[in-house]
Amino acid sequence: MIKTYLVTGGAGFIGSNFIQYILNKYKNDIFVINLDKLTYAGNLNNLKSVEKNKNYVFVKGDICDKKLVANLFKKYNIDYVVNFAAESHVDRSINSAEEFVTTNVYGTFNLLENAKKAWQTGEDCYKAGVKYLQVSTDEVYGALTEKESSFTEKTPICPHSPYSASKAGADMLVKSFYDTHKMPLNITRCSNNYGPYQFPEKLIPLMFIKCKNKQQLPVYGTGLNVRDWLYVTDHCSAIDLVLRKAKPGEIYNIGGNNEKNNLYIVNYIINYLSKHFDKTISPDLITFVKDRKGHDFRYSINSSKIQKELGWKPEVSFEKGIELTMNWYLKNDKWIKDVLDGSYKNKTT
Ligand code: NAD
Ligand code: TDX
């Protein structure tokens, strides 16, 4: 039986990697509808490799649009919803949070409500084999000090930024649809991703581009804040596994055991580019700038639950993942140029 996916936010960084991952893995056994509003973060150049695939269709639209989402459920026999659509950048949420609340909270509610209507066959009963998966983040747990132990699924939710608060709000709504209506769903909470197609507002692609152009590298505060880095295809494989294998109602943390501080990451990029691109690139480019407001000190994920229950493990080491990422950005000048000059926005189908 062909499985039909509604992937939202599939033109963004992780969503586009996920669509390529599943089409490559399941081929003719799946059909994928990509619903994306194409905000500044949506880029159809990310999906060139699949745009002619007969098992894939792109729909430009908003997850908050009630009619549109209801119509998609009427038109297609959707088995899986994977909700990547979100405003995802912490700094933007500090400057202006409204879109974060609208898309991340209301948009999630609209998807849940429509999936429930389409899938429900009786009180607390649903069509066989359907599932809603909410792609959440480790940031909903708040921040750790240097010594505290990693976040588990039992760590209390304690978000600090408007971004993480909106993601936490969405998580609570999703959980309520399980607790109240027994809707078949899961939540995944992943650590910082990196890899091809990441929008260059996030640390790794931003530093890569600036470094390559020998521009100053803006490190917030002391540069000692810690993130737990995971290569994007390892996130995709975890989502795939949770969607297909996990018991409804379960929450899974996903992480690669790769805690690094920001200065380590920036120096790694500098060394990589000075070795493989231009040997005059040096740490002199590092510039310490004003700290991010409410800057979470450290994220660290304990992913033993998904490893034990579903047999997931990360396949790509940090060194390999950075090499793959740097080489991808080095080879994809045109992708970068189109993002920087805004011409990526001209592609709408
Ligand atoms: P992204 O910003 O690169 O992409 C988001 C996508 O969602 C874009 O294509 C955008 O056009 C689309 N979108 C935004 N608002 C929409 C709306 N109202 N309707 C339809 N589409 C809309 O984000 P990303 O980094 O790929 O993250 C994807 C998801 O994974 C997010 O939910 C994020 O919270 C979560 N997450 C990200 C990371 C990370 O490190 N990037 C880590 C853990 C979890
Ligand atoms: O210019 C910069 N300088 C800098 O020092 C930028 C953009 C970031 N930083 C620091 C802030 C963070 O400590 O680097 C670290 C990583 O920053 P981001 O790439 O903005 O990621 P983060 O804030 O950790 O959030 C990310 O991980 C979890 C994603 O953006 C979220 O969508 C995801 O949920």
Side-chain angles (χ1 to χ4, degrees):
M1 267 284 276
I2 290 185
K3 289 282 189 188
T4 300
Y5 289 66
L6 175 61
V7 175
T8 68
F13 162 49
I14 308 174
S16 61
N17 274 284
F18 180 72
I19 288 174
Q20 293 178 65
Y21 178 89
I22 53 174
L23 281 169
N24 189 37
K25 178 165 178 186
Y26 295 109
K27 304 208 161 56
N28 289 329
D29 293 337
I30 63 170
F31 184 78
V32 179
I33 305 139
N34 173 15
L35 171 62
D36 197 298
K37 185 178 170 182
L38 298 185
T39 67
Y40 78 91
N43 182 349
L44 288 178
N45 288 334
N46 298 356
L47 291 154
K48 276 193 172 151
S49 71
V50 301
E51 67 189 11
K52 296 207 169 73
N53 190 316
K54 66 180 180 0
N55 302 315
Y56 165 80
V57 66
F58 173 66
V59 178
K60 183 175 187 304
D62 192 332
I63 59 166
C64 300
D65 185 334
K66 275 181 167 176
K67 245 200 197 146
L68 172 66
V69 174
N71 282 338
L72 286 176
F73 275 97
K74 270 191 208 125
K75 180 166 178 189
Y76 298 101
N77 197 6
I78 293 167
D79 299 291
Y80 297 141
V81 176
V82 186
N83 182 24
F84 291 99
E87 287 296 330
S88 70
H89 192 43
V90 174
D91 291 327
R92 287 179 189 257
S93 81
I94 294 167
N95 292 332
S96 168
E98 190 167 349
E99 282 296 309
F100 287 75
V101 178
T102 309
T103 287
N104 299 3
V105 183
Y106 180 77
T108 297
F109 163 74
N110 190 39
L111 291 172
L112 286 166
E113 191 71 357
N114 276 293
K116 178 167 153 289
K117 268 190 207 140
W119 290 343
Q120 204 163 26
T121 53
E123 195 175 278
D124 297 349
C125 292
Y126 296 85
K127 279 165 70 175
V130 297
K131 177 81 78 74
Y132 176 99
L133 191 145
Q134 178 71 5
V135 181
S136 185
T137 169
D138 58 359
E139 300 198 16
V140 299
Y141 296 120
L144 298 166
T145 60
E146 204 168 340
K147 296 261 149 56
E148 276 174 308
S149 20
S150 309
F151 302 129
T152 72
E153 291 80 358
K154 294 200 168 78
T155 303
I157 301 297
C158 183
H160 298 300
S161 72
Y163 161 70
S164 52
S166 67
K167 292 294 288 185
D171 281 16
M172 296 294 97
L173 269 171
V174 175
K175 184 175 175 303
S176 80
F177 272 63
Y178 178 76
D179 293 345
T180 308
H181 302 297
K182 294 287 167 288
M183 193 169 138
L185 54 80
N186 295 110
I187 298 172
T188 56
R189 296 186 179 137
C190 191
S191 58
N192 286 57
N193 283 212
Y194 67 100
Y197 309 108
Q198 187 165 32
F199 197 80
E201 62 186 351
K202 307 282 165 63
L203 183 72
I204 289 182
L206 181 82
M207 294 299 169
F208 170 89
I209 291 173
K210 285 189 181 293
C211 197
K212 191 168 167 250
N213 295 331
K214 291 209 187 155
Q215 292 165 331
Q216 294 194 329
L217 308 175
V219 172
Y220 298 162
T222 58
L224 297 180
N225 299 62
V226 173
R227 298 294 182 263
D228 191 349
W229 294 95
L230 183 72
Y231 190 66
V232 63
T233 51
D234 280 328
H235 188 185
C236 295
S237 70
I239 290 173
D240 176 43
L241 208 53
V242 171
L243 196 58
R244 297 220 169 207
K245 300 268 159 59
K247 224 171 74 197
E250 294 295 320
I251 297 173
Y252 290 94
N253 284 352
I254 304 166
N257 268 335
N258 262 314
E259 285 186 51
K260 312 278 182 216
N261 72 38
N262 296 335
L263 266 180
Y264 177 91
I265 299 284
V266 174
N267 276 305
Y268 204 98
I269 295 171
I270 292 168
N271 287 336
Y272 193 91
L273 285 180
S274 74
K275 212 161 147 197
H276 298 278
F277 180 68
D278 173 349
K279 60 177 184 314
T280 66
I281 288 171
S282 85
D284 293 345
L285 293 172
I286 293 176
T287 312
F288 291 95
V289 298
K290 189 165 172 265
D291 209 355
R292 173 185 277 174
K293 284 170 78 177
H295 197 172
D296 284 341
F297 179 67
R298 172 175 164 247
Y299 305 138
S300 170
I301 274 277
N302 176 334
S303 57
S304 53
K305 179 176 169 184
I306 188 171
Q307 304 215 18
K308 274 193 206 122
E309 289 185 10
L310 303 180
W312 175 82
K313 63 173 175 30
E315 300 289 343
V316 184
S317 68
F318 178 74
E319 292 69 25
K320 182 70 197 164
I322 284 283
E323 188 189 329
L324 289 169
T325 307
M326 296 294 108
N327 286 345
W328 187 86
Y329 281 100
L330 279 170
K331 283 200 192 112
N332 285 277
D333 262 349
K334 173 85 170 82
W335 184 92
I336 295 175
K337 185 195 144 292
D338 285 356
V339 169
L340 295 183
D341 69 16
S343 54
Y344 73 107
K345 292 195 191 119
N346 300 335
K347 189 165 164 56
T348 52
T349 54

